[in-house]
Amino acid sequence: MIATRELTKRFKSVTAVDGITLEVADGELVALLGPNGAGKSTTLRMLTTLIPPTGGSAEVAGFDVVAKQREVRRRIGYIGQGNGAGHSQRGRDELISQGRAYGLPVRQARARAGELIESLGLGEVADRTVSSLSGGQRRRLDIAMGLIHAPELLFLDEPSTGLDPQNRANLQEHIVGLRREHGTTIVLTTHYLEEADSIAERVIVIDHGRIIADDTPQRLKAKHVGDRVFLGFGSETDATTAAGLLNGVREGDRVQVSADDGPRMVPGAIEELRTAGVAVHSVEVTRPTLDDVFLTLTGRSLRNEEA
Ligand SMILES: Nc1ncnc2c1ncn2[C@@H]1O[C@H](COP(=O)(O)OP(=O)(O)OP(=O)(O)O)[C@@H](O)[C@H]1O
Ligand SMILES: [Mg+2]
């Protein structure tokens, strides 16, 4: 669905995207994750033909984004980081005209608008003018606009930013449903690490315009961070013995051990310690987040940058 080679965008002195080579297969749900200014939106804007690359190349749905703009545009949906809907019309009418602009017959455009209004929870506000909607309602209307023609490939730039938790969950369900029921290929950007972790099958971490990691969330976490197991003991002496046996780090009467799969290593560790005459008093396993992955890769935290 997408194939880029050394895709690059320079704005005067800023290299926003610095040689990105990637492939996205039919039906994948991919999240681009990275701090402010990493080059996520610029990448999406090149892939959606809105701005031309200054280097490298990209094909989307089999067409070159520079030479075959129109072919690309016909096959994709794009929901940008800003708002797209006009202001003085009713939300429902905006949706229907968008559907018509994509070539749907009026009856189908109406039916499709009705479905999206329902599934994005816009029923109570769809017949008001767009300018009277709240930020989150407007955001959901924008998303409906991008979905009206049921594209095979969908680009979403921070779709859930500004939504409350309830609507964010609804939207995530909708996105996962598009993938499951229609096989839609979806590329989204997000600042919500939990969102990338829970809905994306593949996470591409971008920093300073480059891809620094690309894998399933599970593998990224296992490979770059791993689980941490904290074992508590009755005395510092026991903890010292345990730290030696398990190759862990002692702090007071606690020992921290790294493991690929924490819950699985615990029973064996307890058994080994028992044989050595050391009783375990408490166990705690912490599993990494994608933020820990970013921290390991860059020495910076995505959460702190956001704050
Ligand atoms: N039109 C432009 N002119 C000059 N510089 C730009 C332009 N658009 C983007 N940039 C710069 O390119 C870099 C990447 O911006 P981009 O919007 O792609 O980041 P992003 O990863 O989407 O960030 P955010 O998480 O804040 O949305 C930034 O340094 C930005 O200032
Ligand atoms: Mg952006």
Side-chain angles (χ1 to χ4, degrees):
M1 269 293 175
I2 302 175
T4 75
R5 268 185 63 85
E6 291 296 321
L7 188 65
T8 300
K9 181 71 183 182
R10 265 185 209 101
F11 296 105
K12 292 202 177 110
S13 60
V14 183
T15 303
V17 175
D18 193 7
I20 282 188
T21 299
L22 72 93
E23 287 188 9
V24 175
D26 195 357
E28 276 193 286
L29 200 174
V30 181
L32 303 185
L33 196 65
N36 289 137
K40 305 179 297 294
S41 297
T42 306
T43 302
L44 290 198
R45 292 173 71 215
M46 288 192 280
L47 294 176
T48 52
T49 77
L50 295 172
I51 52 172
T54 51
S57 62
E59 282 191 1
V60 170
F63 295 97
D64 186 276
V65 294
V66 177
K68 300 281 181 199
Q69 280 193 23
R70 210 195 291 210
E71 297 297 330
V72 172
R73 287 185 187 203
R74 195 178 291 168
R75 287 166 178 80
I76 63 174
Y78 168 66
I79 295 141
Q81 200 168 350
N83 288 311
H87 287 200
S88 53
Q89 285 212 62
R90 298 185 312 155
R92 185 185 302 274
D93 298 335
E94 277 284 291
L95 275 175
I96 296 169
S97 2
Q98 177 91 347
R100 302 276 292 138
Y102 273 107
L104 297 184
V106 70
R107 190 186 282 243
Q108 209 179 326
R110 270 206 204 110
R112 184 88 187 122
E115 273 167 40
L116 288 166
I117 286 167
E118 170 82 12
S119 71
L120 291 169
L122 288 165
E124 283 172 25
V125 299
D127 295 305
R128 297 195 345 217
T129 56
V130 174
S131 56
S132 74
L133 304 185
S134 78
Q137 291 163 345
R138 219 179 276 191
R139 190 69 191 137
R140 278 178 282 146
L141 180 63
D142 286 330
I143 288 155
M145 301 270 285
L147 297 177
I148 192 85
H149 60 303
E152 55 185 311
L153 172 57
L154 188 59
F155 293 95
L156 301 154
D157 200 353
E158 294 190 31
S160 52
T161 296
L163 298 187
D164 61 34
Q166 172 75 51
N167 280 307
R168 195 180 304 160
N170 286 348
L171 175 63
Q172 290 173 0
E173 212 170 285
H174 195 92
I175 291 172
V176 172
L178 283 173
R179 154 84 181 69
R180 192 179 49 233
E181 282 148 38
H182 305 283
T184 311
T185 307
I186 299 166
V187 178
L188 58 85
T189 73
T190 180
H191 282 176
Y192 298 110
L193 299 153
E194 296 78 12
E195 176 168 274
D197 203 342
S198 65
I199 73 172
E201 294 148 350
R202 176 174 168 198
V203 172
I204 299 179
V205 185
I206 299 188
D207 193 27
H208 299 305
R210 294 170 187 268
I211 295 177
I212 57 169
D214 176 356
D215 213 330
T216 65
Q218 292 72 20
R219 278 203 292 265
L220 286 175
K221 290 184 288 185
K223 179 166 165 213
H224 296 288
V225 192
D227 292 351
R228 274 185 283 263
V229 178
F230 297 89
L231 300 165
F233 299 92
S235 67
E236 294 198 357
T237 319
D238 276 3
T240 305
T241 312
L245 283 172
L246 302 176
N247 198 14
V249 177
R250 183 181 71 83
E251 260 178 55
D253 58 4
R254 273 159 61 92
V255 171
Q256 179 185 324
V257 186
S258 302
D260 289 341
D261 189 341
R264 265 174 179 276
M265 73 78 76
V266 167
I270 291 177
E271 193 52 43
E272 187 180 348
L273 291 169
R274 198 209 316 272
T275 311
V278 174
V280 177
H281 285 214
S282 68
V283 177
E284 185 188 343
V285 178
T286 63
R287 315 206 85 169
T289 64
L290 288 175
D291 193 39
D292 298 322
V293 172
F294 191 78
L295 186 65
T296 306
L297 289 168
T298 67
R300 289 156 21 238
S301 162
L302 274 173
R303 270 188 222 291
N304 291 346
E305 302 226 350
E306 218 173 304

